[in-house]
Amino acid sequence: MIEELVHKHYWINNDNCAITTMSILSEYFNIAINQQVYDALIGMNGAGTFGAQCGLVEGTLTFIGVIGKFKGFSNNKIENLCKDFALKYKTEKESILCNDLRPQGFSKDNPPHLCEKLTVDSVSFSIDFIEKNVK
């Protein structure tokens, strides 16, 4: 299911990785996301192309905030969950920076959607983290 959704978001919708992540997590956990959140995630793609924090991480961190508030968590609890996620992601993938994670880095000659496999792996990782830690 995740592979098909990632492929659709990248190749049909031409969504960035943060929006793709947020959309799939929203669907999986059945939590509606306001369009303004998706609008905000557009800007995160710019930071990623600069090599900053990866949108796969940003999309999940944003979703943890949304689901945390949905479940009535305090700001402090949400912040700690986000820190824990970022640390575990960095341990698993060796970085949270787009510049490090993106296959082949950034070049005008890169084919589109180089991160499709990484996205599938990352969304699966995010779902597992949320299922285990957001109760």
Side-chain angles (χ1 to χ4, degrees):
M1 169 188 127
I2 294 171
E3 288 178 16
E4 292 172 15
L5 290 172
V6 168
H7 188 79
K8 177 188 123 190
H9 280 282
Y10 281 166
W11 293 96
I12 295 171
N13 299 353
N14 201 32
D15 290 332
N16 70 37
C17 53
I19 290 172
T20 297
T21 300
M22 175 66 87
S23 296
I24 295 170
L25 293 175
S26 166
E27 184 174 334
Y28 185 87
F29 289 101
N30 197 31
I31 295 180
I33 304 298
N34 183 293
Q35 183 59 44
Q36 289 178 315
V37 174
Y38 287 113
D39 295 343
L41 292 173
I42 293 169
M44 293 189 186
N45 193 50
T49 59
F50 181 69
Q53 185 168 276
C54 177
L56 299 171
V57 175
E58 293 171 331
T60 301
L61 295 175
T62 304
F63 185 77
I64 289 171
V66 171
I67 195 172
K69 282 298 180 180
F70 179 80
K71 291 187 172 276
F73 294 172
S74 69
N75 290 356
N76 189 53
K77 182 169 182 170
I78 292 168
E79 289 172 9
N80 287 331
L81 282 167
C82 287
K83 287 176 192 175
D84 191 34
F85 175 80
L87 178 62
K88 285 185 165 99
Y89 190 95
K90 184 176 181 181
T91 300
E92 173 79 15
K93 304 291 183 194
E94 300 180 3
S95 182
I96 62 170
L97 300 178
C98 190
N99 205 42
D100 296 336
L101 296 168
R102 183 176 164 89
Q104 304 174 23
F106 290 93
S107 167
K108 291 178 184 179
D109 299 330
N110 288 145
H113 311 302
L114 279 175
C115 294
E116 190 165 357
K117 182 184 179 331
L118 177 61
T119 303
V120 171
D121 294 343
S122 292
V123 170
S124 296
F125 181 85
S126 296
I127 288 170
D128 185 58
F129 177 88
I130 293 166
E131 285 181 331
K132 288 179 180 171
N133 295 282
V134 181
K135 299 174 178 140

